[in-house]
Amino acid sequence: MSTVAADFDRNSPRKSLFRFGALQRNLKWLAPLACGLGIAGYGWQNQWFGGSTAANSSTFLTYEIQPRDLPITVIERGNLESQTNLPVYCEVDDVRSDGINGTPIVWVIANGSSVKKGDLICELDSAAIQVELDDQILDTEEARSTAIQAEANLKNQEIQNSTAEYKAELDVQLAELELEMYQDDLAGSHILAIAAINRQVEDLNNEILAAEMNKELRKNEKTGIESLFKLGYAGKSELDRVELSYLQAEGDYSAKLNKLRTQLASLEKLNTFDKKMQLLELQGKLETSLQARKQVSVTNSAKLIQMQGVLLSRNEQLRKEEERLKRYQEQYAKCKIYAPQDGMVAYATPSSSRDSEIAEGVPVRPRQHILSIPNLERMQVKANIHESVLDRTQVGQQVAITVDAFPDRRYSGTVKSVAVLPQRSYYSDTKTYETTIVIDEDVYQLKPGMTAVSEIKVDYLKQVNAVPVQAVVQRAGVNWLFVQEAGQVERRQVTLGASNDQYVMVSQGVDSGDQVVLNPASLMEGQEEDGGLEFTPADPQPQETLVATSDEVARVN
């Protein structure tokens, strides 16, 4: 497999494991090796470049080209970090009444300690919050008492409203009934009053007749006594008695007449003025009761709304006080910080000049990062991919990962994300993109910050012609291979493709079965001495770095 390494800036402090540069570097260090391996052919190369066309195949190494699979990978170094690195912040608000800027740390677990989920890892000073909490409890209870009283007042007002409405409705009904009773033609109070007066008039008429007859009797009696008195048969006292009786009968008759006139006048008054006045009074009473009922309804509604508003205000005040109480309770509880997951404790580094190192007694401000709990069983690698191979790196690609601290272990991973924007650097113009590679299995003994090498499997070329990288020679940007054929060595210009740390694909210039020289450097040295070819390590594609891995061993003839 051939991988693409992503760092071309040779001046950059960060070095890729392989660059494209891979083929170039391979040729640089393999050239001396090839010289050593081909020292036996040194005499042959002098003879060949001296003008001879014959070569002794036993003096140098060759490789027979055969189709082979070529895996392509991007190899990058990066640093380990936890997949779930949960930060722990100070969630306690600063209590200004204590005169301390922040909340002091009473106790904190040692940096680097292993913890389980739910373990106590830090405790903040809760004395100032406890004072605020005690005061808030009293304020909350007072607000609750006021709310209860407001609710009782509302219920009492509802009862009063119901009573007032009932009374107003009763007054209306009584006024209506009284008016109806007065106006009834059969049994109304007005008709009954007229009937009573008429009966009194009839009685008076009868009494007047009786008084008139009594007067006539007394008159006749008087006349008879007067005649007898004149004749001397009746005395003076008898005469005075009958005259008095007559006067009494006459007065009684006159009184009965006057009483009759009064009753008739009362009847006339009852049928005219009293009737109108009584109707106006009863109708006015009905209208007044109707208006009073409306007034009661409006007044009740206003009082009820007022009481409801008071209750709402008291309940809102109680809610606010309860919220403050809950916040103080939460703040008090947050003074003890527990591990959110299994992992290792890592103190936060100061992010600004106003922050101090995490230690007991040091005050921390609200929302300040105190420490982190990375899960050491699930790790990932953060690597920077060069822009030249960014198009070959995609999310979901499989990755083989090794860690420098444990070189005998190999982990499988997956590309999780590739940044859209490049990393900024003030020291280099090289553009790299942060790439996250997750390790797909649980790990142990790995720590954040360890150096890891990631081989991203970007391609896999099947059955292509490939030659060992040490066989390639480059002159003035042109790639050459020395091919042995029929006892002669021929120099051929070739077109190279993807490569790895062992092999490079040859797309044009040679065919399967060709024998290529593995130690061309020894051949080139003689020609350089004669002022011929200038040897430079091959760099077929300087715009990108192609690197691969292979478990196969080059076949040497």
Short mmCIF file of all heavy atoms in Angstrom, two decimals, residues 44-52 482 491 520 522-527 530 533:
data_model
loop_
_atom_site.label_atom_id
_atom_site.label_comp_id
_atom_site.label_asym_id
_atom_site.label_seq_id
_atom_site.Cartn_x
_atom_site.Cartn_y
_atom_site.Cartn_z
N TRP A 44 33.12 -3.65 -13.66
CA TRP A 44 32.28 -3.81 -14.86
C TRP A 44 31.75 -2.48 -15.33
O TRP A 44 31.72 -2.17 -16.50
CB TRP A 44 31.13 -4.73 -14.53
CG TRP A 44 30.14 -4.84 -15.68
CD1 TRP A 44 30.18 -5.67 -16.74
CD2 TRP A 44 29.00 -4.02 -15.84
NE1 TRP A 44 29.14 -5.45 -17.58
CE2 TRP A 44 28.38 -4.41 -17.04
CE3 TRP A 44 28.43 -2.98 -15.10
CZ2 TRP A 44 27.21 -3.84 -17.53
CZ3 TRP A 44 27.29 -2.42 -15.59
CH2 TRP A 44 26.68 -2.83 -16.79
N GLN A 45 31.34 -1.61 -14.32
CA GLN A 45 30.75 -0.34 -14.75
C GLN A 45 31.81 0.53 -15.40
O GLN A 45 31.51 1.27 -16.33
CB GLN A 45 30.07 0.36 -13.57
CG GLN A 45 30.93 0.95 -12.50
CD GLN A 45 31.29 2.39 -12.81
OE1 GLN A 45 30.61 3.01 -13.60
NE2 GLN A 45 32.39 2.84 -12.23
N ASN A 46 33.07 0.45 -14.90
CA ASN A 46 34.11 1.23 -15.57
C ASN A 46 34.33 0.76 -16.99
O ASN A 46 34.49 1.56 -17.92
CB ASN A 46 35.43 1.13 -14.78
CG ASN A 46 35.42 1.97 -13.53
OD1 ASN A 46 34.70 2.96 -13.47
ND2 ASN A 46 36.23 1.58 -12.53
N GLN A 47 34.30 -0.58 -17.16
CA GLN A 47 34.47 -1.13 -18.49
C GLN A 47 33.34 -0.72 -19.39
O GLN A 47 33.53 -0.33 -20.54
CB GLN A 47 34.56 -2.67 -18.40
CG GLN A 47 34.67 -3.33 -19.77
CD GLN A 47 34.63 -4.85 -19.65
OE1 GLN A 47 34.52 -5.38 -18.54
NE2 GLN A 47 34.76 -5.53 -20.77
N TRP A 48 32.03 -0.71 -18.81
CA TRP A 48 30.83 -0.39 -19.63
C TRP A 48 30.83 1.07 -20.02
O TRP A 48 30.60 1.42 -21.16
CB TRP A 48 29.59 -0.74 -18.80
CG TRP A 48 28.33 -0.52 -19.60
CD1 TRP A 48 27.95 -1.13 -20.74
CD2 TRP A 48 27.31 0.42 -19.28
NE1 TRP A 48 26.75 -0.66 -21.17
CE2 TRP A 48 26.33 0.31 -20.26
CE3 TRP A 48 27.14 1.33 -18.24
CZ2 TRP A 48 25.18 1.08 -20.27
CZ3 TRP A 48 25.99 2.07 -18.25
CH2 TRP A 48 25.02 1.96 -19.25
N PHE A 49 31.06 1.94 -19.03
CA PHE A 49 31.04 3.37 -19.35
C PHE A 49 32.31 3.79 -20.11
O PHE A 49 32.31 4.86 -20.72
CB PHE A 49 30.90 4.21 -18.07
CG PHE A 49 29.48 4.28 -17.61
CD1 PHE A 49 29.03 3.42 -16.61
CD2 PHE A 49 28.60 5.16 -18.19
CE1 PHE A 49 27.71 3.49 -16.21
CE2 PHE A 49 27.30 5.23 -17.79
CZ PHE A 49 26.84 4.38 -16.79
N GLY A 50 33.34 2.94 -20.02
CA GLY A 50 34.54 3.26 -20.77
C GLY A 50 34.40 2.98 -22.26
O GLY A 50 35.27 3.28 -23.05
N GLY A 51 33.26 2.37 -22.64
CA GLY A 51 33.01 2.14 -24.05
C GLY A 51 32.64 0.73 -24.35
O GLY A 51 32.19 0.41 -25.44
N SER A 52 32.79 -0.15 -23.38
CA SER A 52 32.43 -1.54 -23.60
C SER A 52 30.94 -1.70 -23.49
O SER A 52 30.29 -1.06 -22.68
CB SER A 52 33.16 -2.43 -22.58
OG SER A 52 32.71 -3.75 -22.67
N PHE A 482 18.09 1.38 -15.00
CA PHE A 482 19.08 0.61 -15.77
C PHE A 482 18.56 -0.81 -15.89
O PHE A 482 18.34 -1.49 -14.88
CB PHE A 482 20.44 0.65 -15.09
CG PHE A 482 21.11 2.00 -15.18
CD1 PHE A 482 20.91 2.94 -14.19
CD2 PHE A 482 21.89 2.32 -16.28
CE1 PHE A 482 21.50 4.18 -14.27
CE2 PHE A 482 22.50 3.56 -16.37
CZ PHE A 482 22.30 4.50 -15.36
N ARG A 491 19.96 2.05 -20.30
CA ARG A 491 19.33 3.10 -19.48
C ARG A 491 18.01 3.50 -20.12
O ARG A 491 17.97 3.91 -21.28
CB ARG A 491 20.25 4.30 -19.37
CG ARG A 491 19.73 5.36 -18.39
CD ARG A 491 20.62 6.56 -18.37
NE ARG A 491 20.55 7.27 -19.66
CZ ARG A 491 21.26 8.37 -19.93
NH1 ARG A 491 22.09 8.87 -19.00
NH2 ARG A 491 21.16 8.94 -21.10
N PRO A 520 22.33 1.14 -9.02
CA PRO A 520 22.75 2.02 -10.12
C PRO A 520 23.73 3.09 -9.65
O PRO A 520 24.44 3.67 -10.46
CB PRO A 520 21.44 2.63 -10.58
CG PRO A 520 20.57 2.65 -9.37
CD PRO A 520 20.91 1.39 -8.65
N SER A 522 26.50 2.82 -8.08
CA SER A 522 27.88 2.44 -8.40
C SER A 522 28.17 2.62 -9.87
O SER A 522 29.30 2.94 -10.25
CB SER A 522 28.11 0.99 -7.97
OG SER A 522 27.24 0.12 -8.68
N LEU A 523 27.19 2.44 -10.72
CA LEU A 523 27.37 2.66 -12.15
C LEU A 523 27.54 4.14 -12.43
O LEU A 523 28.36 4.55 -13.25
CB LEU A 523 26.18 2.12 -12.93
CG LEU A 523 25.88 0.62 -12.77
CD1 LEU A 523 24.64 0.24 -13.56
CD2 LEU A 523 27.06 -0.22 -13.23
N MET A 524 26.76 4.98 -11.72
CA MET A 524 26.76 6.41 -11.98
C MET A 524 28.03 7.08 -11.48
O MET A 524 28.46 8.10 -12.03
CB MET A 524 25.55 7.07 -11.29
CG MET A 524 24.22 6.55 -11.81
SD MET A 524 24.01 6.85 -13.56
CE MET A 524 24.07 8.62 -13.62
N GLU A 525 28.66 6.53 -10.44
CA GLU A 525 29.85 7.16 -9.88
C GLU A 525 30.95 7.26 -10.91
O GLU A 525 31.62 8.28 -11.05
CB GLU A 525 30.34 6.38 -8.67
CG GLU A 525 29.48 6.57 -7.44
CD GLU A 525 29.91 5.66 -6.32
OE1 GLU A 525 30.87 4.88 -6.53
OE2 GLU A 525 29.28 5.71 -5.23
N GLY A 526 31.12 6.19 -11.68
CA GLY A 526 32.18 6.21 -12.68
C GLY A 526 31.92 7.23 -13.75
O GLY A 526 32.81 7.95 -14.20
N GLN A 527 30.64 7.38 -14.14
CA GLN A 527 30.34 8.33 -15.19
C GLN A 527 30.46 9.76 -14.69
O GLN A 527 30.83 10.66 -15.42
CB GLN A 527 28.94 8.09 -15.75
CG GLN A 527 28.69 8.85 -17.05
CD GLN A 527 27.47 8.34 -17.76
OE1 GLN A 527 26.73 7.55 -17.21
NE2 GLN A 527 27.30 8.78 -19.00
N ASP A 530 33.90 10.86 -15.03
CA ASP A 530 34.23 11.18 -16.42
C ASP A 530 33.53 12.43 -16.90
O ASP A 530 33.60 12.78 -18.07
CB ASP A 530 33.88 10.00 -17.34
CG ASP A 530 34.70 8.76 -16.99
OD1 ASP A 530 35.80 8.96 -16.41
OD2 ASP A 530 34.22 7.65 -17.27
N LEU A 533 27.02 11.76 -16.59
CA LEU A 533 25.75 11.98 -15.91
C LEU A 533 25.97 12.54 -14.52
O LEU A 533 26.90 12.17 -13.82
CB LEU A 533 24.99 10.65 -15.81
CG LEU A 533 24.44 10.08 -17.12
CD1 LEU A 533 23.88 8.70 -16.86
CD2 LEU A 533 23.41 11.00 -17.74
#
